[in-house]
Amino acid sequence: MKNMRKLKIMRNAAAALMFFVASFSFAEISMPKIFSDGMVLQREMPVKIWGKATPGARVGLEFAGQKKMTKAGKDGAWNIVLNPLKTDKKPSEMLLFENGKEAKKIGDILVGEVWVLGGQSNMEWRTKNTTDFKDVEKRADYPLIRYFFMTPGVIAETKQFDCPDKSRWEPILPSNVGNTSGVGFYFAEKLLKDLGGEVPVGLIDTPLGGSSMCAWIPDEDITGIEYLESNLKKFKEAKEKYVYADAIKAWRERYDAWQKQADEAKAAKKPIPQKPFNVRNKPLEMTPWRMQNSPAYLFNAKIAPIAGYAARGALWYQGESDAAGKSLEAFKPQFTRLIDTWRKYWGQGDDFYFAWVQLASFTTKANWPEARWQQYLTLKEVPKTGMANIIDCGEEKDIHPKDKATVGTRLENIIMRDVYGKKNPVYYGPIFKMVRYTPKGAEVVFDLDGRSLVGKGDPRGFEVKIGGEWKKANAELVGKRVIVNPVEKVKGEQIEGVRYLWENWALPNVWLFNDKGLPALSFIHEK
């Protein structure tokens, strides 16, 4: 009996020991999915790595000849900063340890240039839907370009530690290139080439179609911008009153009514009525508003988990959803705050370069000329930023131009000069500098960056303000200036302002270029 009790005690002790050993053997440090196999780390700057472990545990990291150690906090959170890394196209491995035991291994890591892709549907627009896709599919074997696919339609009420499910790094291949951002792909392809074909490029995909800037800025960072404060207040009030079950019931009634009309039209062989906006958008349990407009919800879900992942900067294509009403009135303050906020969360200051795409030509009821102007004013005032002018691109009745190669290429040209120091690439067309008002007309002067001014076809696109009204104008190219006068001169009338391409669908009136074929930016000037 005594021996049996002794045997039982020994068995229990052995079981406890096995459990203890197994716990250590299978313990795994948790990290956001951005830190996973196939990732690209940014070269030539400190690289922050972070995650969670057992509270108080010693966390070690080995990579590229560096060995680092830290201690997890009471909540298990830890971070380690690697010294600047050298370019490396040879896949490497990162080892992580908890209390001296190997806890995680990340493989196939490259070191090169990392860029974050942000904005709405024109940045999200997939390469398979672009004009050049057939050629792209044939050549897109780029193991040195890595793409972090992030699930698009995900939001969160609070800042998330990890990226959405199924987020992952993949090398660009013919089999997956069609699902990448078109702008991002063409940018990365040209960047890889211009950096000599030896520097890996990493793209982090975050955009969501139809999203407003307010969804990409955390609540605590909107202070001082009246529109954003008011918008958040309205959202909170709507959320307090929101009953999801009631919203779904009302939506179902609307959907059934539309379906009945659609069935009747189909039976009668008539055109099926388009789904109304409030039928297309099914209510969400988390928010009374669309996910694209819910303040901070996209930042919380898609930016918070990656903010701080060392990157050269961000490429942004957005503005369509903020080009009207009160949001347009606050466009520049919103955009400036978004840039400043992202830079703060990345912890790189102005070294986190921010480049965006100015809105293309398109027929819309919104005020795209003013939105373009606000984008330009942001460029003028915020340091270390760039803007690709694509007013000579676009489709009259499609908000999604399929030519994304031009967009990606123009972004890359700007960045090659501003970020990588390439001398004299053609990166901007003529930029409005000043207007001199004289008895002979308004003389418009441009910043040409050493290039010449070229007019293609008959002069067009200019207007002058006279007597408080904007009227069509004649334009004459004189060297590096343009002389503008009203089509019908009236003695004694004075020109009060000049503007160029101040229209939504501006493409047919694009006239001014530099001698390398880049279009002049649209502008407005009033006395």
Side-chain angles (χ1 to χ4, degrees):
M1 191 77 174
K2 190 174 180 181
N3 288 337
M4 288 183 66
R5 281 201 303 269
K6 187 176 180 181
L7 183 61
K8 187 176 182 181
I9 292 170
M10 289 175 66
R11 283 175 177 171
N12 289 340
L17 180 62
M18 287 178 66
F19 176 78
F20 180 76
V21 171
S23 296
F24 267 95
S25 299
F26 295 99
E28 183 173 306
I29 286 174
S30 64
M31 300 169 72
K33 295 179 186 69
I34 191 72
F35 298 108
S36 57
D37 292 348
M39 66 181 176
V40 178
L41 295 179
Q42 178 62 48
R43 62 176 179 164
E44 300 169 354
M45 68 170 64
V47 173
K48 181 181 175 183
I49 311 290
W50 68 89
K52 291 182 179 179
T54 304
R58 289 178 292 108
V59 177
L61 186 154
E62 294 182 8
F63 181 71
Q66 298 186 43
K67 293 183 179 182
K68 299 280 185 173
M69 185 79 71
T70 191
K71 184 179 179 180
K74 292 180 180 179
D75 60 353
W78 59 270
N79 74 77
I80 288 173
V81 179
L82 292 172
N83 301 332
L85 301 165
K86 294 181 180 179
T87 304
D88 195 349
K89 65 177 184 177
K90 182 180 177 182
S92 299
E93 188 174 76
M94 179 181 291
L95 298 177
L96 294 113
F97 303 85
E98 181 174 308
N99 292 326
K101 299 288 185 179
E102 186 177 315
K104 192 174 184 67
K105 185 185 294 183
I106 304 173
D108 191 24
I109 302 170
L110 307 181
V111 180
E113 291 296 314
V114 180
W115 287 90
V116 181
L117 309 178
Q120 57 183 106
S121 56
N122 271 307
M123 180 60 85
E124 191 178 19
W125 194 255
R126 298 309 176 197
T127 307
K128 63 186 175 185
N129 297 319
T130 65
T131 51
D132 296 344
F133 180 60
K134 286 185 178 179
D135 290 335
V136 166
E137 198 172 23
K138 294 175 184 176
R139 69 176 187 264
D141 186 5
Y142 294 119
L144 292 186
I145 300 178
R146 303 291 177 82
Y147 195 92
F148 187 69
F149 290 90
M150 195 184 296
T151 309
V154 179
I155 56 174
E157 294 178 281
T158 58
K159 294 184 183 68
Q160 299 298 292
F161 165 75
D162 201 358
C163 305
D165 290 343
K166 298 182 181 179
S167 298
R168 69 217 179 270
W169 283 99
E170 291 185 10
I172 296 299
L173 302 170
S175 59
N176 65 12
V177 67
N179 293 320
T180 64
S181 158
V183 172
F185 169 76
Y186 293 112
F187 167 84
E189 183 181 48
K190 190 168 189 299
L191 183 62
L192 178 68
K193 179 182 177 182
D194 286 348
L195 293 178
E198 301 292 315
V199 180
V201 177
L203 297 178
I204 302 172
D205 185 57
T206 73
L208 180 66
S211 56
S212 302
M213 282 187 275
C214 70
W216 299 101
I217 306 172
D219 291 347
E220 64 270 22
D221 290 289
I222 67 170
T223 307
I225 299 177
E226 186 179 348
Y227 167 74
L228 289 177
E229 290 180 346
S230 173
N231 188 60
L232 179 59
K233 182 181 177 182
K234 289 177 183 176
F235 175 72
K236 287 182 176 179
E237 289 171 350
K239 192 174 180 183
E240 215 171 279
K241 300 174 184 177
Y242 185 56
V243 180
Y244 175 63
D246 293 345
I248 279 289
K249 182 181 178 182
W251 174 82
R252 175 55 64 184
E253 290 172 355
R254 294 193 300 270
Y255 184 90
D256 290 345
W258 171 83
Q259 188 64 60
K260 183 180 178 182
Q261 292 177 344
D263 291 342
E264 290 173 351
K266 189 176 180 180
K269 295 183 179 180
K270 293 181 179 179
I272 296 174
Q274 187 177 12
K275 282 184 183 179
F277 185 80
N278 62 0
V279 171
R280 293 199 307 272
N281 289 278
K282 187 177 181 180
L284 301 171
E285 188 170 2
M286 193 183 296
T287 171
W289 292 2
R290 296 170 67 236
M291 66 171 63
Q292 293 93 334
N293 308 115
S294 299
Y297 276 34
L298 288 173
F299 182 95
N300 293 339
K302 307 186 77 176
I303 303 303
I306 64 169
Y309 186 91
R312 192 64 71 183
L315 308 180
W316 181 261
Y317 193 163
Q318 193 271 348
E320 298 92 336
S321 291
D322 290 295
K326 295 291 183 182
S327 188
L328 176 59
E329 292 175 17
F331 194 104
K332 186 164 72 69
Q334 287 187 83
F335 195 21
T336 301
R337 182 62 57 83
L338 185 147
I339 296 168
D340 290 345
T341 299
W342 283 32
R343 284 175 167 173
K344 179 184 77 172
Y345 276 87
W346 253 268
Q348 298 172 203
D350 291 354
D351 287 337
F352 188 80
Y353 189 86
F354 208 100
W356 60 89
V357 183
Q358 199 180 35
L359 296 184
S361 291
F362 172 62
T363 298
T364 173
K365 293 180 181 179
N367 190 349
W368 282 28
E370 182 62 36
R372 293 186 195 111
W373 186 241
Q374 294 302 316
Q375 289 175 314
Y376 167 67
L377 293 178
T378 305
L379 174 72
K380 282 186 66 178
E381 295 183 19
V382 181
K384 294 190 179 180
T385 58
M387 183 184 77
N389 172 23
I390 59 166
I391 201 161
D392 59 331
C393 302
E395 297 178 27
E396 185 175 7
K397 296 180 180 179
D398 191 341
I399 199 170
H400 303 118
K402 294 179 179 60
D403 175 13
K404 294 295 190 279
T406 298
V407 182
T409 297
R410 288 185 182 173
L411 276 173
E412 197 269 354
N413 285 340
I414 292 167
I415 283 163
M416 279 306 297
R417 174 162 168 162
D418 285 0
V419 176
Y420 299 107
K422 184 177 178 180
K423 293 182 179 179
N424 299 319
V426 181
Y427 74 127
Y428 278 116
I431 300 175
F432 165 77
K433 188 174 183 181
M434 62 179 294
V435 177
R436 298 189 187 101
Y437 295 94
T438 72
K440 294 183 179 180
E443 182 182 297
V444 185
V445 181
F446 294 88
D447 182 354
L448 298 171
D449 194 35
R451 314 306 317 181
S452 300
L453 197 59
V454 176
K456 294 187 179 181
D458 296 329
R460 58 198 183 279
F462 279 92
E463 296 173 279
V464 291
K465 189 175 185 180
I466 296 177
E469 294 183 11
W470 288 99
K471 300 178 181 180
K472 287 186 177 182
N474 291 321
E476 180 185 0
L477 185 58
V478 180
K480 295 184 178 182
R481 300 163 296 152
V482 176
I483 308 300
V484 184
N485 275 297
V487 172
E488 296 180 6
K489 289 186 178 181
V490 177
K491 190 175 181 180
E493 286 187 336
Q494 297 293 318
I495 297 176
E496 302 160 356
V498 181
R499 66 187 189 186
Y500 174 63
L501 298 179
W502 205 259
E503 49 193 326
N504 290 317
W505 174 239
L507 194 153
N509 288 322
V510 176
W511 173 59
L512 274 181
F513 297 79
N514 66 15
D515 55 357
K516 291 296 182 179
L518 287 180
L521 273 70
S522 59
F523 72 88
I524 186 169
H525 183 273
E526 297 179 73
K527 279 186 177 179

